[in-house]
Amino acid sequence: MTLAEARAARSLYFHFPFCETKCHYCDFYSLGREKTKPGDPDRFETAMIREITLRGEGGELASPIETIFFGGGTPSMTPPDSMKRITDTLFRYATLAPGYEWTMEANPSSIDVEKFRAFKALGINRVSMGVQSLKGEHLLKLGRVHDEAQATQALEAVFSAGFQNVSTDLLCGVPGQTIHDLKSHIERLTSFPIQHLSIYLLTLPPHHSMYKELPNENEQLEHLLLIDQEMRARGFDHYEISNFARPGRQARHNLVYWTGGSYLSFGPSAHSFSKDARVRFKNVSSLHKYATMLIEESRLPMEWSETLNESQMELEKWMLAIRLSEGFPKVWLVSDRQRQKGHLFIERGLLEEHPDHPERLRATVRGFALSDALVKELL
Ligand code: SF4
């Protein structure tokens, strides 16, 4: 990525790799306490400060910053004073735009009201809480360390600390989870003044011990339809396949990803993308390598970079658009074959005309469930 291209990224992602334990279904780069050596958190902090400094000195940081996302891993495990040293370094090179969005992911087991207050004092103004389930047996099955009571206490704490823009994450498709469970989770979560809810379908590799217990496609669709109905009835907009927001509270940072915008990322395993250059690059997925490259070798921790060709860009464009309730312009259906497919999918209730923008088509909830197949056919 050239400097000018990197500077175009006004959205920054920071990956904090530590977790209490490794959840059974997780494929993010993260280290549970059993894999964390004493001194690793300090070394990580030094390395991340070094990465920010190298990029800042190299003129790669755009200013002002529109969105920041602290993800992981479990960023809320980071001591606030360590977080402050990291963000103080960042603000040597860039400022925050008025109306910025700055999200931190939090897990119920690693947070209390005092810690939330300290994070808020840094300027963080949005929290995404990884609740995942409010049923003890499902949390155990997933390998989560918190229980139901901790999840609700953490939600009480985040609002007591004064956060007003709070999102929660739930998982659906958990073996043994019923429609009733999902409905009751939604009722309980929306009894808090949350502004956003992400509900992801649990996916596991075929060799996983729980793989055979996953619900089939019909059950998944039933869950998706219920979630859509329950959330819309509560005033949330189903604006992305897995995401619901109160009006004006869509996740702005994630919308940058979903609309093919540029973002610059820091930390082990973090991906960056430059829209103008069509370049994607990734940092190394190893804390040890990340720290060595930055601290001992004074070089950026890049693992690979690739320039997307026309057909990759076209595929990305479709994959992203089909997942958003904004959908895509009808003029994207260029050939007779594409237009026929479009009509067929409308007849089958998988696509519909956008109610506010008749020049656009979008996936229905049933279409969301089959989004990969739709794109394959439409392309
Ligand atoms: S808390 Fe999140 S990042 Fe950490 S192991 Fe569990 S799923 Fe992965």
Side-chain angles (χ1 to χ4, degrees):
M1 194 181 283
T2 67
L3 291 188
E5 289 149 6
R7 271 194 214 106
R10 291 183 185 272
S11 290
L12 307 180
Y13 173 81
F14 294 80
H15 192 81
F16 292 79
F18 303 109
C19 288
E20 298 278 349
T21 56
K22 186 77 181 169
C23 300
H24 298 163
Y25 59 94
C26 177
D27 57 6
F28 297 113
Y29 176 67
S30 63
L31 303 161
R33 285 196 194 276
E34 68 287 356
K35 291 260 165 102
T36 306
K37 295 195 287 295
D40 276 356
D42 287 347
R43 206 163 150 75
F44 165 72
E45 180 195 307
T46 307
M48 185 166 263
I49 285 176
R50 197 70 215 249
E51 186 180 10
I52 298 167
T53 307
L54 281 179
R55 293 196 187 282
E57 298 291 327
E60 288 187 33
L61 278 165
S63 190
I65 303 161
E66 296 287 343
T67 69
I68 299 180
F69 198 100
F70 282 0
T74 306
S76 57
M77 277 175 67
T78 312
D81 56 339
S82 169
M83 195 78 98
K84 183 165 186 329
R85 288 188 287 274
I86 291 170
T87 54
D88 281 351
T89 310
L90 174 65
F91 296 130
R92 264 193 244 142
Y93 302 102
T95 57
L96 289 166
Y100 70 87
E101 177 195 272
W102 181 355
T103 305
M104 178 186 70
E105 285 182 335
N107 277 332
S109 54
S110 62
I111 200 85
D112 56 37
V113 68
E114 285 313 314
K115 213 169 170 191
F116 271 132
R117 284 200 185 109
F119 287 131
K120 190 163 183 287
L122 296 180
I124 294 170
N125 58 12
R126 183 173 184 271
V127 170
S128 174
M129 184 83 77
V131 172
Q132 313 311 351
S133 170
L134 287 168
K135 200 164 182 179
E137 66 191 84
H138 294 159
L139 288 165
L140 268 180
K141 212 174 236 191
L142 294 165
R144 302 291 302 200
V145 281
H146 66 270
D147 59 20
E148 194 182 326
Q150 278 175 311
T152 46
Q153 281 158 11
L155 280 172
E156 280 158 13
V158 73
F159 290 110
S160 298
F163 282 96
Q164 291 178 345
N165 195 1
V166 175
S167 177
T168 51
D169 278 12
L170 268 184
L171 278 171
C172 66
V174 179
Q177 190 180 46
T178 64
I179 285 278
H180 174 76
D181 292 331
L182 275 174
K183 203 169 166 183
S184 118
H185 293 355
I186 289 172
E187 270 163 17
R188 287 177 60 199
L189 289 181
T190 54
S191 70
F192 290 92
I194 61 166
Q195 301 295 312
H196 189 276
L197 180 76
S198 304
I199 305 193
Y200 296 105
L201 183 68
L202 178 66
T203 51
L204 297 170
H207 60 264
H208 196 284
S209 59
M210 278 195 300
Y211 182 77
K212 289 207 170 94
E213 297 172 56
L214 290 175
N216 62 34
E217 278 179 13
N218 287 339
E219 289 164 324
Q220 287 175 3
L221 179 60
E222 202 187 342
H223 287 192
L224 203 56
L225 289 168
L226 171 103
I227 294 163
D228 173 75
Q229 183 188 325
E230 292 291 323
M231 292 304 292
R232 285 198 293 116
R234 288 171 170 79
F236 287 76
D237 177 24
H238 191 171
Y239 73 104
E240 198 266 351
I241 186 167
S242 307
N243 287 277
F244 300 82
R246 292 215 178 268
R249 290 299 200 178
Q250 290 92 343
R252 282 171 51 202
H253 184 86
N254 289 354
L255 275 170
V256 171
Y257 301 152
W258 300 330
T259 53
S262 298
Y263 51 93
L264 182 62
S265 303
F266 302 78
S269 81
H271 288 78
S272 301
F273 180 64
S274 163
K275 179 182 175 177
D276 296 338
R278 301 176 171 189
V279 170
R280 199 192 325 269
F281 67 85
K282 179 183 171 287
N283 280 354
V284 290
S285 293
S286 147
L287 177 59
H288 174 71
K289 274 193 202 159
Y290 175 76
T292 303
M293 288 170 84
L294 283 157
I295 301 171
E296 277 81 34
E297 299 168 11
S298 284
R299 60 187 177 114
L300 288 171
M302 195 190 290
E303 183 173 274
W304 54 254
S305 79
E306 64 173 355
T307 304
L308 302 187
N309 61 30
E310 281 295 331
S311 64
Q312 286 169 313
M313 287 296 286
E314 186 69 5
L315 178 63
E316 291 236 335
K317 182 181 91 174
W318 275 97
M319 293 299 283
L320 293 169
I322 208 94
R323 298 171 64 96
L324 287 169
S325 66
E326 280 301 295
F328 58 90
K330 286 178 183 171
V331 291
W332 282 13
L333 300 175
V334 180
S335 68
D336 286 345
R337 185 195 63 81
Q338 285 177 309
R339 282 191 287 272
Q340 278 162 11
K341 290 277 181 192
H343 283 303
L344 187 69
F345 292 145
I346 291 171
E347 277 169 24
R348 289 190 186 162
L350 300 173
L351 286 181
E352 65 183 6
E353 195 169 84
H354 194 293
D356 304 322
H357 305 285
E359 74 287 2
R360 299 180 76 88
L361 289 175
R362 66 180 190 181
T364 60
V365 181
R366 285 175 194 279
F368 276 154
L370 295 171
S371 56
D372 288 356
L374 286 190
V375 168
K376 216 167 162 189
E377 292 286 325
L378 288 170
L379 259 174

